[in-house]
Amino acid sequence: MLGWVITCHDEQAQDMLIKLEARFGPLVQCRAVNYWRGLSTNMLSRMMCDALHETDSGDGVIFLTDKSGAAPYRSAALMSHKHDCCEVISGISLPLLEVMYPQRETLSSAEFRNAIVAQGLPGVSSLWHQQQKNPPFILHHGLYKN
């Protein structure tokens, strides 16, 4: 089963987790990380790293963030490159997570990423999808040698 790390500004992450648990019961392999004003990005990264390790059973972890490019998204993006089967999703909402919750058990991390973005909700994207729009710069050594 895919682990979920819900990370949003203020108390949104914890609120979403509480509402999901009210609907589906206790959520295993799911943690909320709230990003409060004044919290250092170093502390945020440490909290998210702890959540990553608590939720990962080997099938992968999905970081579910509220805003693309914001501190929780950036921290998740940095961590995702160091761990296999990690995906970063931005633009989440409670209704979207309610729809996607049952698919945690059946989809791979890449399939889940594609499915949540395919829901077509405005503003929902993934780190992978953003990277496809802007591929990383590749330095070709010796390109300009005489």
Side-chain angles (χ1 to χ4, degrees):
M1 175 184 342
L2 294 171
W4 274 9
V5 177
I6 305 169
T7 178
C8 303
H9 290 77
D10 302 323
E11 69 282 343
Q12 287 180 321
Q14 191 65 41
D15 286 349
M16 283 189 209
L17 181 59
I18 289 169
K19 290 174 182 173
L20 286 168
E21 287 181 332
R23 179 166 179 190
F24 298 107
L27 273 63
V28 296
Q29 293 176 238
C30 190
R31 297 289 178 273
V33 177
N34 292 315
Y35 179 63
W36 298 97
R37 179 188 302 205
L39 184 70
S40 71
T41 53
N42 184 48
M43 184 55 75
L44 173 64
S45 294
R46 294 179 83 185
M47 292 165 49
M48 289 178 59
C49 186
D50 288 345
L52 168 69
H53 291 291
E54 290 172 8
T55 58
D56 190 9
S57 66
D59 293 329
V61 173
I62 308 295
F63 285 101
L64 300 156
T65 69
D66 55 352
K67 299 176 185 174
S68 183
Y73 180 88
R74 290 190 315 267
S75 292
L78 290 172
M79 275 187 257
S80 71
H81 294 296
K82 298 176 185 175
H83 299 278
D84 291 335
C85 304
C86 263
E87 299 292 341
V88 182
I89 309 299
S90 62
I92 62 153
S93 64
L94 180 61
L96 178 61
L97 296 184
E98 289 174 335
V99 168
M100 295 304 298
Y101 175 74
Q103 298 181 42
R104 289 178 65 204
E105 294 185 34
T106 59
L107 299 179
S108 70
S109 58
E111 291 169 334
F112 187 91
R113 171 197 70 218
N114 292 332
I116 197 168
V117 172
Q119 289 291 320
L121 298 175
V124 176
S125 188
S126 75
L127 176 61
W128 184 86
H129 284 88
Q130 293 305 315
Q131 288 173 332
Q132 302 316 300
K133 293 178 187 175
N134 301 305
F137 175 77
I138 298 172
L139 179 62
H140 296 283
H141 295 285
L143 184 64
Y144 300 105
K145 283 186 178 180
N146 291 335

